[in-house]
Amino acid sequence: MRRIIIVLILHLMCFQVVKAQQANVFIKGYVIDSASKIPVAGCNIVFDTGMKKKGAISENDGSFYLDLTEISFPDSIRVTFSHVNYYPQTIALAINQEARVLLKQQVHVIDDVMVHSAYSSGSKGNKFVYTPLQAASSISIIGEPDVVRHISSLPGVAQGIEGTLGLFVRGSNNGSNRIEFNGVPFYSYSHLLGMFSTFSPDVIEKTTFLPGGIPSQSGNLSSSLLEITPKRSTNEPFNGKISLSPYMTGGYFAIPLKKDKLSVQFAGRTSFMPFIINQIMDLQSSEDDEEPEEMKGQVLDFTSIIDWSINNANTLDVMFYASNDYFDFKDDYSQNKLNWNSRAVKAGWISQISPVLRLNLNTYYSSTRSVQEQLYFSEWQADKTKSQLRLGTTLNEWSFSNLFSYKINSLYEIKGGLNYQRQHFRPASEKTIYTQSTNERYDDLLKSDLLAAFADFSYKKTEVVEITLGYRHTLQWTEGKIFNNFDLRFLSDVYLSDKTGLELSFDRLTQYYHVLEGLPTGWSLNVMIPSGEYFPEEITNQVYTGMFIENSIKDINLHFTLGGYYRRMQNLVSYISAVNMFGLNDTSWEDEVDVGKGCSYGFELSGTAQTNRFGLTLAYTLSKATRQFKQINNGKSYPFKFDRRHILNLQSKYTTAERKTKKGHKQEQYINTVLSYSSGHNTTLPVGTYQGVMPPYWNILEQGWDFPQQLEDNAYHRQEMTLRNGFKMKDYFRVDIAYTFVKHKLKSTRELSFSVFNALNRQNPYLFFYEDNKWQQLSIAPIMPSVRWTISF
């Protein structure tokens, strides 16, 4: 009996060992792009058991896991990897070992599928992803896709001045947004006084807009994050694109220097509009027998990116970027000069140290400059300058960051690193009165050094729950003192089904510089200063909760997001009065700035409906935003200038014609329409005038001393104003339309587009003013047609 019991026990032990061995039989690893070393999500992994096929799909981080429980295999097995954007590959993988599978991209010519919606279907309330093709659904003034302007069509975003890139996310200031291109922040990113952005769409792969749920690796912001990702061209053959339009003419070229290893991209644009306007002005002046008014101008941007795949585990990219806008307008009495530009040089290295560990090193230098200058000439001596006013800012920035991501297992991942920034600000205001030989100037160099450590810890169970918790701590050295603060980020997505889920996020954001947005908002002409003892860092606390739904009804794909947010903002800065922005009464801007707080809350709805030939996108926002400063509006809360109660955007794209020629070349035509409606913005209007009491020094005018005209007008003619932003302008309404012809040939694609911005020529008011004994309205953008021709090869 004892022998029988021992034998039974040995059999049970052997059974358990075999069972344990079978339970631990698996194939796992990561699927990675062979050129960029970026994880490949959505890759199909299949192997044949002999009786039936089994497989899996790679996760967002490229990971996959195949359970081989209760299946007998040799030490290795052949597995097939396939993805729509990559060449399929079948390789032998070892059992119970991690594998790193590299896939090579392939180029597809899409004949029957078109993207109609304004953003990707996987977008949620705190994340919107779109390509330049999708951004084209927001018809810009120049008729060219603009990935920055496109966010004005998304929920939670209010427009500033019509036609410009003054964009206010969930009640925050325009200067609180962070715009990153290839990982480099840009503080000046508009052309032609804010009409369109300085980023060429031809060099852009995709754009991600995050009004909340922002990862901790992006800091020094207090509102939203816009990440613009450039193309990677290592595996691409030679290709390019040329575009012509009255507003901007440009070209793009991707040149392989070493097959699958080294490539370079060039993108450049310029505008001939200033030269055209100058010719028209000269012609009008000659007809009227007047002295010609002179105008000079320049608009350009240039981007160059080098991609180098050193080996299967290491890649390097180097970028150079430059943009410049310059305008000089002169008549008999005055001369106005505007100039703003950006420069950036960046180098980034990505190393896939192991299938679970990835390292990313980045360093860059960038500079931003903006200045406005006004000269006034003597009425008796031509070109004799009697006064000069100047306002501007310069920012030079150096940065180094060390990022890592570590996949603990199939559920847990941690991302973190260190970031160092050195910023040199030079806010400048200058007043010069030549007849008095006086010159008052403020042009100090303000330094700020930032050192931040950050980490994001995430848990993800596919189609069940995704949770990310992030923390960022920053030390700031400025004004000979050390300040420190922290950011806290939380994002959770709970899936009720594979197509429906709930979203909850909390963001505590800190911004260590201020933008004095006293000039017409949306221009690049704002004074920037570092935070410090007297102007503490901006702090935003925001909570968002909502849901997302994706469904299909017959051939219609539907996607909706619905949610609400509440945001509180501290340590905001604002000019107390715009009168002294040019230093007419005070030399320093510090005497004219106050520190306060703000609050905003709202309800957001977005949705897309898409068929094979038609796409419709809707975005609606119901919100309220306020400000409160001790020295403004008697310390009482008042509406934010761009507090637009209702914002509605509708965009549609319909393929009107589609056919193939006898040679098999595809031709198509489609129409885009945009309807934009919002409540009017708030403004402060004069309700009466009175003569001011003259300053004690005013009698020097009798001695022949000279002052700028603005100072004299302000002294003699005082105005009584409404409460701050106490007047609501008329509602804003605009309709845009575009029609496009596309011809696909064997080696090229040609596109001709006709667009009309503000097709109904509605005179939307931006400002009311009293002149010539009557109230008059200032409108910014009338009807503006454009034509654009492109050829891609």
Side-chain angles (χ1 to χ4, degrees):
M1 178 65 72
R2 184 176 298 176
R3 289 183 178 180
I4 296 174
I5 294 175
I6 293 174
V7 171
L8 289 174
I9 292 174
L10 290 174
H11 275 286
L12 287 173
M13 292 176 64
C14 290
F15 175 76
Q16 292 296 330
V17 170
V18 172
K19 185 176 180 181
Q21 289 176 344
Q22 290 176 340
N24 290 328
V25 177
F26 60 83
I27 294 177
K28 70 176 182 179
Y30 290 83
V31 185
I32 299 172
D33 187 299
S34 62
S36 66
K37 302 304 180 290
I38 295 176
V40 178
C43 180
N44 294 307
I45 303 110
V46 178
F47 67 93
D48 196 340
T49 66
M51 295 179 293
K52 62 178 181 179
K53 290 185 177 181
K54 294 190 67 175
I57 297 177
S58 61
E59 303 289 348
N60 289 337
D61 61 352
S63 63
F64 65 90
Y65 185 90
L66 299 174
D67 189 356
L68 308 182
T69 304
E70 299 179 353
I71 301 176
S72 298
F73 287 104
D75 294 336
S76 65
I77 182 173
R78 294 189 66 80
V79 183
T80 299
F81 297 82
S82 61
H83 191 283
V84 66
N85 293 328
Y86 295 84
Y87 290 106
Q89 187 175 168
T90 301
I91 58 176
L93 297 183
I95 300 296
N96 289 13
Q97 294 184 20
E98 282 192 344
R100 186 167 178 265
V101 181
L102 301 178
L103 296 185
K104 183 178 179 181
Q105 288 189 5
Q106 63 175 327
V107 179
H108 293 276
V109 178
I110 302 177
D111 291 330
D112 302 318
V113 179
M114 290 188 61
V115 178
H116 295 285
S117 62
Y119 51 85
S120 301
S121 60
S123 298
K124 301 172 184 176
N126 276 319
K127 183 177 182 179
F128 295 89
V129 182
Y130 53 90
T131 65
L133 177 62
Q134 291 170 305
S137 59
S138 295
I139 301 171
S140 66
I141 290 179
I142 64 172
E144 180 178 272
D146 191 331
V147 296
V148 178
R149 174 180 294 280
H150 185 58
I151 70 171
S152 66
S153 67
L154 302 178
V157 183
Q159 179 182 248
I161 298 179
E162 179 182 18
T164 69
L165 295 182
L167 303 171
F168 304 85
V169 180
R170 293 179 175 173
S172 292
N173 291 338
N174 179 58
S176 300
N177 303 315
R178 183 178 176 91
I179 311 294
E180 291 183 1
F181 177 64
N182 198 17
V184 179
F186 283 83
Y187 306 94
S188 175
Y189 46 85
S190 68
H191 279 315
L192 289 175
L193 305 180
M195 288 176 60
F196 55 97
S197 72
T198 59
F199 306 114
S200 171
D202 300 325
V203 77
I204 296 173
E205 178 72 26
K206 67 175 182 178
T207 303
T208 304
F209 173 58
L210 303 173
I214 300 171
S216 66
Q217 72 178 51
S218 293
N220 205 8
L221 76 159
S222 60
S223 179
S224 69
L225 173 65
L226 188 71
E227 296 179 311
I228 305 173
T229 304
K231 295 177 180 177
R232 298 301 175 196
S233 59
T234 307
N235 288 334
E236 297 290 330
F238 173 79
N239 65 92
K241 186 174 184 178
I242 296 174
S243 60
L244 302 173
S245 82
Y247 298 99
M248 288 293 281
T249 296
Y252 165 80
F253 301 94
I255 306 172
L257 302 178
K258 187 176 182 180
K259 186 177 180 181
D260 298 337
K261 288 289 185 180
L262 183 64
S263 67
V264 61
Q265 300 177 78
F266 297 100
R269 301 182 300 171
T270 189
S271 175
F272 300 105
M273 182 182 293
F275 305 101
I276 297 174
I277 294 176
N278 194 32
Q279 294 298 320
I280 295 175
M281 292 169 54
D282 289 344
L283 182 61
Q284 291 178 343
S285 298
S286 62
E287 292 177 352
D288 297 335
D289 296 327
E290 297 179 354
E291 288 293 327
E293 296 177 335
E294 299 179 8
M295 177 178 174
K296 301 177 182 178
Q298 182 186 73
V299 178
L300 63 85
D301 59 63
F302 176 80
T303 306
S304 176
I305 300 176
I306 298 175
D307 294 313
W308 182 21
S309 180
I310 302 173
N311 51 42
N312 290 336
N314 297 277
T315 60
L316 177 71
D317 79 275
V318 178
M319 180 186 76
F320 173 75
Y321 171 93
S323 69
N324 187 63
D325 281 66
Y326 173 76
F327 295 93
D328 185 348
F329 178 79
K330 181 180 179 182
D331 57 21
D332 292 338
Y333 305 103
S334 63
Q335 184 174 7
N336 290 271
K337 300 179 181 180
L338 300 173
N339 179 225
W340 64 95
N341 55 57
S342 293
R343 305 285 188 273
V345 179
K346 179 246 183 179
W349 175 49
I350 299 176
S351 178
Q352 193 72 41
I353 298 175
S354 72
V356 297
L357 180 60
R358 186 182 184 200
L359 185 66
N360 189 350
L361 301 178
N362 288 295
T363 183
Y364 67 81
Y365 164 76
S366 69
S367 67
T368 297
R369 178 179 181 269
S370 64
V371 62
Q372 180 173 3
E373 187 176 11
Q374 295 179 351
L375 290 84
Y376 296 90
F377 304 128
S378 171
E379 298 179 11
W380 300 280
Q381 294 178 285
D383 290 341
K384 178 67 175 179
T385 304
K386 67 177 183 179
S387 64
Q388 177 180 357
L389 305 173
R390 181 177 178 269
L391 178 70
T393 189
T394 300
L395 169 61
N396 293 312
E397 180 173 302
W398 299 261
S399 176
F400 175 80
S401 61
N402 180 358
L403 312 172
F404 75 89
S405 62
Y406 179 69
K407 185 75 173 179
I408 301 173
N409 54 38
S410 60
L411 297 177
Y412 298 96
E413 183 179 13
I414 185 170
K415 297 180 179 180
L418 296 171
N419 175 250
Y420 171 73
Q421 282 180 285
R422 163 163 286 189
Q423 297 178 314
H424 287 179
F425 298 84
R426 195 179 289 276
S429 60
E430 181 178 358
K431 174 181 65 177
T432 303
I433 304 174
Y434 292 94
T435 54
Q436 298 173 236
S437 299
T438 62
N439 182 8
E440 296 180 2
R441 178 175 180 175
Y442 179 87
D443 195 17
D444 286 348
L445 177 63
L446 307 178
K447 299 180 180 180
S448 176
D449 291 270
L450 303 171
L451 178 63
F454 52 88
D456 284 308
F457 182 79
S458 61
Y459 169 82
K460 178 181 179 182
K461 193 170 184 179
T462 306
E463 296 182 353
V464 177
V465 64
E466 297 179 24
I467 299 175
T468 300
L469 178 62
Y471 180 82
R472 183 184 182 96
H473 201 98
T474 303
L475 298 176
Q476 180 190 28
W477 289 267
T478 186
E479 302 172 353
K481 299 180 181 180
I482 298 178
F483 304 88
N484 77 95
N485 215 320
F486 68 94
D487 292 8
L488 187 63
R489 323 284 177 85
F490 173 79
L491 177 64
S492 174
D493 293 329
V494 179
Y495 290 85
L496 305 179
S497 69
D498 59 341
K499 300 293 185 181
T500 305
L502 302 177
E503 184 175 8
L504 175 65
S505 70
F506 172 79
D507 294 88
R508 174 187 164 89
L509 307 171
T510 309
Q511 180 170 304
Y512 297 90
Y513 68 93
H514 299 286
V515 181
L516 307 182
E517 299 180 355
L519 292 168
T521 309
W523 295 12
S524 295
L525 303 174
N526 295 309
V527 174
M528 300 175 64
I529 60 173
S531 62
E533 183 177 3
Y534 299 105
F535 302 99
E537 59 271 22
E538 294 184 13
I539 300 174
T540 293
N541 288 278
Q542 173 187 269
V543 61
Y544 172 90
T545 181
M547 66 183 304
F548 49 90
I549 304 172
E550 190 172 352
N551 201 356
S552 297
I553 301 177
K554 294 184 178 180
D555 295 330
I556 305 176
N557 297 321
L558 302 173
H559 180 80
F560 296 97
T561 66
L562 176 65
Y565 70 89
Y566 180 80
R567 170 178 285 188
R568 294 195 67 86
M569 298 157 279
Q570 303 175 40
N571 301 330
L572 301 178
V573 297
S574 175
Y575 280 110
I576 301 171
S577 172
V579 172
N580 290 331
M581 281 193 302
F582 286 95
L584 294 176
N585 296 337
D586 297 292
T587 304
S588 171
W589 48 264
E590 294 175 308
D591 299 327
E592 294 300 325
V593 173
D594 194 15
V595 180
K597 59 184 180 180
C599 176
S600 66
Y601 50 90
F603 164 88
E604 299 173 354
L605 169 67
S606 71
T608 65
Q610 181 175 321
T611 66
N612 187 40
R613 299 186 65 175
F614 177 75
L616 177 68
T617 303
L618 174 147
Y620 171 72
T621 305
L622 173 65
S623 63
K624 182 178 181 180
T626 60
R627 294 288 189 269
Q628 188 173 8
F629 293 83
K630 290 183 179 180
Q631 300 184 61
I632 300 176
N633 205 48
N634 298 319
K636 298 180 180 179
S637 177
Y638 60 90
F640 179 48
K641 182 176 180 65
F642 297 108
D643 169 36
R644 301 181 184 272
R645 189 71 70 247
H646 303 277
I647 305 174
L648 174 66
N649 286 285
L650 287 173
Q651 299 177 335
S652 68
K653 182 176 181 179
Y654 177 66
T655 303
T656 58
E658 188 174 9
R659 72 182 187 90
K660 286 188 176 181
T661 64
K662 295 180 180 180
K663 295 183 179 181
H665 299 154
K666 182 180 177 182
Q667 296 183 357
E668 59 199 20
Q669 301 175 31
Y670 56 87
I671 184 171
N672 286 86
T673 58
V674 174
L675 185 151
S676 179
Y677 165 83
S678 65
S679 302
H681 66 275
N682 304 294
T683 189
T684 307
L685 286 181
V687 294
T689 60
Y690 61 94
Q691 184 172 343
V693 177
M694 297 302 101
Y697 55 80
W698 202 252
N699 58 3
I700 60 176
L701 286 175
E702 300 175 358
Q703 304 173 15
W705 290 44
D706 205 350
F707 283 84
Q709 187 64 40
Q710 293 98 326
L711 185 58
E712 183 176 347
D713 291 343
N714 183 51
Y716 277 114
H717 306 290
R718 302 290 177 88
Q719 295 180 329
E720 173 140 9
M721 312 297 287
T722 62
L723 296 177
R724 188 64 168 252
N725 294 337
F727 183 82
K728 175 72 75 173
M729 305 294 283
K730 296 179 181 178
D731 290 351
Y732 178 89
F733 180 77
R734 192 187 79 244
V735 174
D736 309 326
I737 190 169
Y739 200 90
T740 304
F741 302 84
V742 182
K743 292 183 178 181
H744 300 277
K745 293 192 174 183
L746 184 60
K747 295 184 179 181
S748 66
T749 298
R750 300 179 183 182
E751 183 177 309
L752 179 63
S753 177
F754 300 92
S755 63
V756 181
F757 183 87
N758 193 11
L760 302 181
N761 197 27
R762 177 179 167 87
Q763 304 299 306
N764 291 295
Y766 174 71
L767 180 69
F768 289 132
F769 60 96
Y770 193 77
E771 189 174 271
D772 297 331
N773 295 322
K774 62 180 180 180
W775 284 100
Q776 300 186 48
Q777 172 182 310
L778 173 65
S779 298
I780 303 298
I783 182 172
M784 299 186 69
S786 178
V787 58
R788 182 172 181 259
W789 178 83
T790 67
I791 178 171
S792 305
F793 50 88

